[in-house]
Amino acid sequence: MPTDWQTRESLTLAPWAMHAAESGGRVHEESPHPFRSPYQRDRDRIIHSAAFRRLAHKTQVFTGYHGDYHRSRLTHTLEVTSIARTLARALLLNEDLVESLALAHDIGHPPLGHAGEDTLDLLLRGEGGFNHNAQAMRIMELLETRYPHFPGLNLSREVLEAQATRKRDNTAPAPLLETQVVDAADSIAYDTHDADDAIELGLLTLEELCELPLVADAAARSRDRYGPLAGVELRRAVLHELVEFQVAELVAQSRQKLADGSIDSVAKVRSAFDGTDGKGGVRIVAPTAALSSGKKQLEKFLFQRVYRSPQVMAVRTAAQENLTQLFQWYCSHADELPAGFRSRANQFGVPRSVADYIAGMTDRYLELDHKRRLGSR
Ligand code: MG
């Protein structure tokens, strides 16, 4: 007798979707839940993890206090999840799996956004470096301790596999469509909201942004839809169009590629991606060449004007110094690490365990702990 969730999945998912009944299971075997599918359990485990909660107080781009308007890692994650679920439903994919992947996709980020990641990577140069995707894997498999019988969250293999793909692990299988959808949604979300946040912070103007063809087209569509707008109304409408357009393009493109490649199974999704079907390798959920080049122009512009702006860089440098000092302090005071990190230091070495501890901190806890350990500098 199939369970309710098996019946629902068999009625609603396409043959190219990852069906939970076909899951490779978990590393530590657990009995099935009476009414939640394996991927629903994964999603719930991620939402209830400490790493997920801390996303609320981690920054992405705008380290330090720049006001309350811009996105935190948590709100970015929720925007990605919302876009990814729209794509998943339109393509008849497994929404529970997509939701798990989207909610988990940034849990490995340390405090201070990319500034924090770069610093930890430098500090761990002799120890294999630091990367947020690899760190997410450590959180999932080791660092979260919520269950008595195993370390980590014991997530389904498909969730771990998606994470392995992201850290460019060459041994990882070709990504499922559920993974491809989350990657695409991540890119749509950050291009758009970083532009929005940057305008709000006065780092650039909508007029400047509208010089980019991708944004100019969105502005033209907004005019068609709403007539002439100005100020904040215009900005919101243009950014909304930018998301809407990319999502619609992706859905249309993906449907076309599924039809053209006669994709009717997960195995065919994988062989289309890695080219073992002899057709050269195709990512099914990917923007068109034109959209992709428009996005690259936008990203280049944001990089120069936002991520490398003097305003962002000044705060970034000071924050990186604090993180470095705190890292060095814990490396010479390893007995001050919380018990779990102290005991893992025996296995993984003090620098890695210190990095695990610091990477789990929120921006504000890092500042607080730096003050406590090293005094205010
Ligand atoms: Mg992200």
Side-chain angles (χ1 to χ4, degrees):
M1 241 317 253
T3 60
D4 288 351
W5 60 261
Q6 277 173 322
T7 308
R8 201 176 61 84
E9 287 197 354
S10 66
L11 290 172
T12 55
L13 304 191
W16 51 75
M18 182 67 217
H19 292 238
E22 306 297 320
S23 169
R26 303 174 192 280
V27 172
H28 306 277
E29 217 172 299
E30 295 180 58
S31 43
H33 190 274
F35 46 84
R36 282 184 303 159
S37 81
Y39 301 143
Q40 279 183 279
R41 293 176 88 180
D42 292 332
R43 177 203 56 206
D44 297 344
R45 286 175 188 202
I46 292 156
I47 289 183
H48 290 271
S49 69
F52 181 77
R53 279 196 301 283
R54 292 193 192 116
L55 294 175
H57 300 288
K58 290 191 178 194
T59 48
Q60 302 224 113
V61 178
F62 306 103
T63 304
Y65 189 75
H66 294 275
D68 290 336
Y69 181 84
H70 60 269
R71 276 71 173 177
S72 68
R73 276 268 165 228
L74 180 64
T75 58
H76 159 72
T77 295
L78 296 177
E79 289 186 21
V80 171
T81 307
S82 142
I83 295 170
R85 285 191 58 177
T86 297
L87 289 167
R89 195 171 297 184
L91 298 172
L92 309 177
L93 298 174
N94 195 320
E95 276 183 63
D96 293 327
L97 177 56
V98 162
E99 205 179 357
S100 301
L101 300 180
L103 291 171
H105 89 280
D106 267 354
I107 58 167
H109 276 282
L112 315 178
H114 295 290
E117 181 167 23
D118 294 347
T119 308
L120 282 173
D121 190 39
L122 199 69
L123 292 167
L124 288 178
R125 186 142 285 180
E127 311 275 335
F130 182 92
N131 165 280
H132 72 271
N133 285 317
Q135 192 64 17
M137 205 72 160
R138 283 178 75 73
I139 290 168
M140 290 174 180
E141 295 187 311
L142 178 76
L143 298 176
E144 282 286 333
T145 47
R146 298 184 47 80
Y147 303 95
H149 303 307
F150 47 77
L153 298 172
N154 200 29
L155 301 171
S156 298
R157 285 197 165 84
E158 291 69 34
V159 180
L160 299 179
E161 171 198 308
Q163 205 49 51
T165 319
R166 266 189 218 106
K167 72 182 175 92
R168 314 236 187 284
D169 178 343
N170 293 333
T171 62
L176 296 166
L177 289 178
E178 282 77 1
T179 310
Q180 297 185 30
V181 151
V182 174
D183 292 343
D186 192 18
S187 161
I188 295 173
Y190 65 66
D191 280 355
T192 318
H193 66 50
D194 286 355
D196 185 41
D197 290 351
I199 296 173
E200 178 72 22
L201 290 172
L203 296 174
L204 46 93
T205 64
L206 183 60
E207 290 68 32
E208 289 175 304
L209 211 55
C210 282
E211 285 168 23
L212 300 166
L214 185 67
V215 186
D217 290 350
R221 284 192 305 277
S222 147
R223 252 192 319 277
D224 291 347
R225 193 189 285 234
Y226 302 110
L229 298 174
V232 158
E233 273 188 347
L234 176 62
R235 178 172 121 203
R236 302 250 153 89
V238 169
L239 292 165
H240 170 237
E241 279 298 330
L242 212 50
V243 175
E244 183 73 23
F245 172 72
Q246 294 185 69
V247 170
E249 278 255 310
L250 272 177
V251 170
Q253 274 292 311
S254 309
R255 284 177 177 160
Q256 191 63 50
K257 285 190 205 161
L258 287 164
D260 291 349
S262 308
I263 307 287
D264 57 6
S265 66
V266 167
K268 284 197 183 168
V269 169
R270 296 203 201 266
S271 61
F273 184 91
D274 58 24
T276 46
D277 60 354
K279 292 180 191 157
V282 177
R283 180 179 275 264
I284 289 165
V285 187
T288 58
L291 177 54
S292 174
S293 90
K295 280 169 75 69
K296 280 201 187 99
Q297 281 178 312
L298 172 59
E299 283 161 15
K300 196 172 158 202
F301 179 73
L302 290 175
F303 185 82
Q304 288 159 346
R305 290 293 304 275
V306 181
Y307 311 143
R308 288 290 173 265
S309 73
Q311 197 178 333
V312 168
M313 290 304 282
V315 189
R316 182 184 152 107
T317 309
Q320 284 179 312
E321 272 170 29
N322 284 358
L323 193 154
T324 304
Q325 287 166 2
L326 195 62
F327 177 88
Q328 286 161 348
W329 188 88
Y330 275 110
C331 281
S332 51
H333 298 80
D335 51 326
E336 295 284 341
L337 286 168
F341 294 92
R342 220 163 43 225
S343 67
R344 276 189 298 267
N346 298 327
Q347 193 184 345
F348 300 104
V350 170
R352 177 62 62 187
S353 219
V354 169
D356 284 340
Y357 180 48
I358 291 182
M361 292 181 179
T362 61
D363 291 28
R364 63 183 187 184
Y365 189 82
L366 173 72
E367 200 182 313
L368 199 80
D369 204 38
H370 181 267
K371 250 186 212 135
R372 185 169 54 182
R373 303 300 191 185
L374 290 129
S376 47
R377 295 179 185 206

